[in-house]
Amino acid sequence: RYDKMVRIFDVTGGHSKEVYHTKRMQKLFVVRWSSDAKYIITGSDETNIRLWKAEASAQIGTKAPREAAAMNYAERLKQRFKYHPEIRRISKHRHVPKIIHKQQEERRAIALSKSRKMENKRKHSKPGAVPYRAERQRHIVGEVE
């Protein structure tokens, strides 16, 4: 399924930490990291190559000493108060286009419907007949050792 977006996921988390999109971007076929891991290079269906910053809020180029100190201070504040609910909400917020937001809502509704259906099956069948599997475990096809 193509949603015409580039999403960067943290290895430990289940939510994307960066989201990139443009109005004209079509299906992505190639995604590569730069050698210094500061940029992401994408190639899409409309034969365009795009260069994205790996950290969307990061500034590119040289910074004045005061500016660098201010950015370091802001980063330390974010780290210090990262467990505060309001700071966590702000740091997790990502803007996505309206059409993609609607698709996400639709997928959530479908997933909720499936989980309700499975819960009803469990309620109305013999105990242990319908085993419970965590959502993340359902998506794992196989493990390679």
Side-chain angles (χ1 to χ4, degrees):
R1 163 179 24 179
Y2 295 101
D3 63 357
K4 302 176 184 178
M5 296 180 72
V6 178
R7 296 173 188 260
I8 301 175
F9 290 88
D10 190 11
V11 176
T12 59
H15 299 284
S16 55
K17 69 176 195 173
E18 299 292 349
V19 177
Y20 301 100
H21 59 88
T22 64
K23 285 185 178 182
R24 289 185 229 107
M25 189 161 58
Q26 296 299 315
K27 299 174 185 175
L28 293 174
F29 291 119
V30 179
V31 178
R32 297 283 186 256
W33 285 88
S34 65
S35 59
D36 62 354
K38 289 186 178 182
Y39 299 99
I40 298 169
I41 301 131
T42 61
S44 57
D45 198 21
E46 80 276 6
T47 66
N48 283 340
I49 295 174
R50 290 189 172 86
L51 185 68
W52 309 86
K53 294 185 288 184
E55 194 175 328
S57 60
Q59 262 190 332
I60 303 175
T62 58
K63 298 176 201 86
R66 284 182 80 131
E67 190 176 14
M71 289 176 70
N72 288 336
Y73 178 70
E75 192 60 39
R76 285 194 314 263
L77 281 177
K78 286 182 211 170
Q79 287 300 316
R80 183 175 181 186
F81 296 107
K82 67 182 175 183
Y83 297 110
H84 191 276
E86 192 67 16
I87 302 297
R88 190 178 323 144
R89 184 190 66 78
I90 292 169
S91 67
K92 282 185 174 183
H93 176 75
R94 297 290 178 264
H95 173 74
V96 293
K98 187 175 183 179
I99 189 166
I100 293 171
H101 183 69
K102 293 287 185 186
Q103 288 172 350
Q104 288 174 340
E105 284 180 357
E106 188 176 321
R107 274 190 251 144
R108 272 190 217 112
I110 291 169
L112 183 64
S113 173
K114 284 182 181 179
S115 68
R116 260 197 323 261
K117 184 176 182 177
M118 287 304 291
E119 192 61 38
N120 285 338
K121 276 186 177 182
R122 272 188 216 96
K123 281 182 185 177
H124 300 292
S125 61
K126 288 185 197 177
V130 182
Y132 176 78
R133 283 184 66 200
E135 183 69 27
R136 287 185 185 219
Q137 295 298 320
R138 273 187 241 154
H139 296 289
I140 297 174
V141 177
E143 292 182 4
V144 178
E145 292 182 19

